[in-house]
Amino acid sequence: MKKIEEYRQKLRALADWDAYLLAESGLPGPRGNIELAQAVADLGSVELFERYAALDAKLAPTGGREEFLAFCGVLGYGRLLAEGDRSRLNALRGFASDPRWRLREAVAMALQRWGDADLDALLGEMPSWSQGNAWEQRAAAAGLCEPRLLRKPASARAVLCILDEITESIRAATNRKDSGFQTLRQGMGYCWSVAVAALPEAGLPLMEKWLRVDDPDVRWMMRENLKKNRLVRIDRAWVEAWQKRF
């Protein structure tokens, strides 16, 4: 039995989840209990998600056990979106800028849950996020650049267009010491390779456009993507040729 199913069975037998989740959260520690969080997102109620998501950085600070509850609440919003309830979408977008990095990761995971159920709806929403602040752009890129969401050429092509727009905004950015910009830059250091690997015939030429741009942050991002094995597996000679130019 997979661990996540064990957690589902345990949760079904409990009337009150709080104490169990706090004890099994994995926090404080280097890694929260993602499998348990996924089980909570599968089974939790709207009221539970709202109560957990309402735990702000003061009540549930980074690294504390209570942060895990907030993480579960935000991840649970992804299930609600997958079920067609878009009423928490604005709240989820707000969490993309949360000061706690785990909650920002929960946003990306929630978007992927939505995409698993209704990829067209996710792709329809993300262009708006890609024109938002750096945190929202990072959430859009991280949420979309998941291989399982990019199996259809049309989906991969749409994501490449979004990455192209985000990269253009990075080239135009003036606030490059801002933490949001730095986090976006870091994320884009792998996102391009995921989308390009999904549709090389469109992705490689588009990536070449940015490989030729003389901007230090764009060049850093492209150089990081060239290090990814997923690109090497597609075209080792292409990767090595571009690496020699840096």
Side-chain angles (χ1 to χ4, degrees):
M1 183 185 299
K2 292 184 178 180
K3 194 68 176 177
I4 189 168
E5 182 55 34
E6 293 179 13
Y7 285 133
R8 291 190 192 108
Q9 291 188 8
K10 180 67 175 180
L11 292 173
R12 290 188 184 104
L14 291 173
D16 183 358
W17 293 1
D18 291 19
Y20 177 71
L21 296 183
L22 290 171
E24 298 294 326
S25 67
L27 301 177
R31 181 183 182 275
N33 191 336
I34 301 299
E35 294 81 6
L36 178 55
Q38 295 283 14
V40 173
D42 289 340
L43 301 178
S45 66
V46 172
E47 294 75 19
L48 183 88
F49 297 151
E50 290 179 338
R51 179 164 63 86
Y52 285 173
L55 296 170
D56 61 19
K58 184 177 181 179
L59 295 171
T62 298
R65 295 189 307 164
E66 290 77 11
E67 185 188 20
F68 183 72
L69 301 183
F71 180 95
C72 291
V74 174
L75 181 57
Y77 283 176
R79 196 200 84 210
L80 300 182
L81 283 166
E83 293 173 347
D85 178 3
R86 300 186 64 160
S87 64
R88 275 84 185 168
L89 186 55
N90 286 339
L92 189 66
R93 184 167 180 170
F95 282 115
S97 302
D98 195 274
R100 295 163 291 182
W101 68 266
R102 286 187 179 89
L103 266 68
R104 299 195 300 268
E105 291 303 310
V107 171
M109 293 170 64
L111 293 175
Q112 289 165 6
R113 273 184 169 252
W114 188 19
D116 287 333
D118 191 345
L119 185 55
D120 288 341
L122 176 64
L123 290 171
E125 176 66 23
M126 288 303 97
S128 173
W129 289 39
S130 71
Q131 296 170 14
N133 65 38
W135 299 110
E136 293 165 354
Q137 290 178 310
R138 187 268 171 187
L144 290 168
C145 290
E146 167 57 45
R148 71 177 188 268
L149 299 180
L150 305 180
R151 291 172 182 154
K152 294 183 178 179
S155 301
R157 195 179 301 276
V159 171
L160 285 166
C161 289
I162 289 172
L163 295 182
D164 188 53
E165 292 180 0
I166 292 174
T167 305
E168 181 61 54
S169 75
I170 289 172
R171 179 167 63 170
T174 57
N175 56 339
R176 300 194 177 201
K177 293 184 179 180
D178 180 78
S179 59
F181 178 88
Q182 291 296 321
T183 301
L184 173 61
R185 174 182 179 267
Q186 188 74 28
M188 293 291 282
Y190 80 87
C191 284
W192 268 103
S193 66
V194 176
V196 170
L199 191 65
E201 59 268 33
L204 290 174
L206 193 57
M207 190 171 168
E208 285 183 6
K209 180 185 81 170
W210 292 110
L211 284 163
R212 295 188 176 95
V213 168
D214 188 20
D215 178 280
D217 291 303
V218 172
R219 287 176 66 85
W220 181 88
M221 286 160 33
M222 294 298 110
R223 191 162 56 243
E224 289 300 301
N225 279 281
L226 288 173
K227 297 176 183 178
K228 303 301 186 280
N229 287 332
R230 61 179 67 95
L231 288 187
V232 174
R233 288 193 293 269
I234 290 169
D235 193 333
R236 178 181 295 273
W238 182 90
V239 170
E240 291 178 349
W242 278 104
Q243 285 176 330
K244 290 176 181 178
R245 298 178 64 168
F246 283 92

